[in-house]
Amino acid sequence: MNMNDILRIAIQKSGRLSEDSLKLIKECGIRFDNGGGKLKTAATNFPAEILFLRDDDIPGYVEDGVAHLGIVGENVSEESDRDVDTVHKLGFSKCRLSIGVLREQEYHGVKDLDGKSIATTYPRLLDKYLKEHNVTAQIHEISGSVEIAPSIGLADAVCDIVSSGSTLLSNGLKEVETIFRSEAVMIASKHLSPGQQELLDQLLFRIKSVQVAKNNKYILLNCPTTAVDEIIKYLPGMRSPTILPLATEGWCSLHSVINENEFWENIEKIRQAGAEGILVIPIEKMIL
Ligand code: PRT
Ligand code: ZN
């Protein structure tokens, strides 16, 4: 690797992605000083610099190679249509791009949008969706407050980002079509040097270890030795669970890793099988 190889990572300066983006970089063990609202900061223990930008500018900077990596919503990256690689899904800032119409309006299907006008800040994604569904509608591109467009007579429908749905609801709208599902993604320049590619691989390895760890818990419990076989069935850990004898005759302590998703269902079965003193501990990193 060339000594001069460095990765410039663009993240959102302030907004919905900022906190999770910073947290992810920190969880990957990359330390830097981000005080004072700076636009750029250098990592102290990894050859990286962090650039703080508006999210809309990130795909363009990555395409141009000003930044080598960026963290943005897939919605922004796809809408920008920039020539970048999406290298990894990050699992946060999940949302959807949906079409909404006034609640009192009858709606039977996407064909009802024929001849209508739709306000959006996502003209490209909307256009693609309408073409795929053979619908001819007028796209009204506006820069913000999309959700009020129907009630002030500016458009018949909206196409906007939805997460809980409460913004649509409070503006008298109902969600009728989901056209795109989004989450934060890592995008990369297509022109990385071999050294930068190596750094990116290191970073992705760390990100994956953090993500796997989040989906798993370390579990410790005490149980009668006779219940071990039954309990082990519910602990499909990395390898076979660790079993240690306890001072109390006929009892042991059992340690394993359990998947978060199967957690509650299995915990109940484990308890019924005779487990006591169950401890569930978060895992910081998990190297597979
Ligand atoms: O200043 P800058 O340009 O950097 O930020 P921004 O204002 O453009 O973006 P920001 O911070 O609002 O959002 C960044 C990214 O977060 C988006 O591109 C999405 O990928 C993601 N995201 C996740 C969301 C939402 N959830 C979200 N709920 N982005 C926007 N919203 C808005 C939406 O526009 C609507 O006004 O929240 C409202 C809907 O929310 P609910 O919960 O009422 O449905
Ligand atoms: Zn933005």
Side-chain angles (χ1 to χ4, degrees):
M1 203 187 314
N2 186 320
M3 284 289 286
N4 296 322
D5 278 322
I6 188 160
L7 276 184
R8 269 196 298 275
I9 310 170
I11 66 170
Q12 190 187 27
K13 184 169 169 52
S14 83
R16 289 186 160 87
L17 299 163
S18 309
E19 199 183 313
D20 286 331
S21 303
L22 281 173
K23 196 165 132 226
L24 180 68
I25 293 172
K26 285 184 181 154
E27 283 171 343
C28 287
I30 298 177
R31 270 183 267 289
F32 55 90
D33 163 31
N34 69 319
K38 280 188 284 191
L39 294 180
K40 192 172 98 169
T41 185
T44 52
N45 61 349
F46 193 84
E49 280 174 358
I50 321 287
L51 304 182
F52 299 94
L53 301 171
R54 286 213 41 201
D55 66 344
D56 315 71
D57 296 334
I58 292 176
Y61 276 87
V62 172
E63 181 183 53
D64 297 344
V66 175
H68 307 111
L69 299 180
I71 298 179
V72 276
E74 258 173 312
N75 51 317
V76 167
S77 177
E78 286 296 315
E79 180 66 27
S80 78
D81 205 26
R82 297 293 189 148
D83 194 22
V84 296
D85 284 330
T86 300
V87 289
H88 199 61
K89 291 189 185 254
L90 301 174
F92 58 83
S93 292
K94 288 191 177 170
C95 58
R96 53 197 189 270
L97 185 62
S98 291
I99 296 177
V101 299
L102 285 169
R103 205 159 30 224
E104 56 274 18
Q105 188 178 319
E106 271 190 48
Y107 186 88
H108 310 284
V110 68
K111 279 281 163 204
D112 287 6
L113 298 169
D114 246 326
K116 297 279 168 41
S117 63
I118 309 174
T120 191
T121 47
Y122 292 87
R124 201 186 304 267
L125 285 173
L126 177 57
D127 186 51
K128 186 162 165 251
Y129 177 83
L130 294 175
K131 286 203 173 109
E132 276 166 13
H133 290 81
N134 287 318
V135 171
T136 312
Q138 194 201 335
I139 298 176
H140 203 92
E141 186 179 352
I142 54 178
S143 59
S145 304
V146 170
E147 61 282 352
I148 61 164
S151 58
I152 61 170
L154 190 67
D156 301 308
V158 298
C159 172
D160 198 10
I161 297 291
V162 179
S163 82
S164 69
S166 67
T167 302
L168 287 184
L169 198 68
S170 63
N171 284 281
L173 299 165
K174 61 182 174 188
E175 187 176 358
V176 292
E177 305 288 346
T178 296
I179 76 168
F180 189 80
R181 289 192 185 276
S182 179
E183 65 186 82
V185 288
M186 171 80 78
I187 56 171
S189 155
K190 293 202 158 168
H191 310 287
L192 299 181
S193 69
Q196 287 167 336
Q197 184 61 48
E198 207 176 300
L199 290 172
L200 170 58
D201 291 343
Q202 286 178 21
L203 187 63
L204 287 176
F205 177 81
R206 294 187 189 192
I207 290 175
K208 286 172 193 165
S209 302
V210 170
Q211 285 178 330
V212 176
K214 275 201 181 121
N215 290 329
N216 289 279
K217 300 276 179 243
Y218 193 79
I219 176 167
L220 303 94
L221 57 87
N222 296 337
C223 66
T225 316
T226 50
V228 167
D229 287 346
E230 168 84 1
I231 290 173
I232 283 179
K233 280 197 265 167
Y234 307 120
L235 295 172
M238 295 195 284
R239 290 194 210 104
S240 55
T242 309
I243 302 168
L244 304 169
L246 288 186
T248 316
E249 182 83 20
W251 278 73
C252 63
S253 166
L254 206 143
H255 301 195
S256 190
V257 172
I258 184 168
N259 187 286
E260 170 96 271
N261 301 328
E262 299 154 7
F263 175 63
W264 286 111
E265 192 192 341
N266 283 334
I267 267 321
E268 208 33 57
K269 290 180 188 148
I270 289 163
R271 242 165 46 84
Q272 280 163 11
E276 287 178 8
I278 303 169
L279 292 181
V280 179
I281 300 167
I283 299 170
E284 196 179 281
K285 311 267 185 322
M286 197 159 143
I287 316 294
L288 293 179

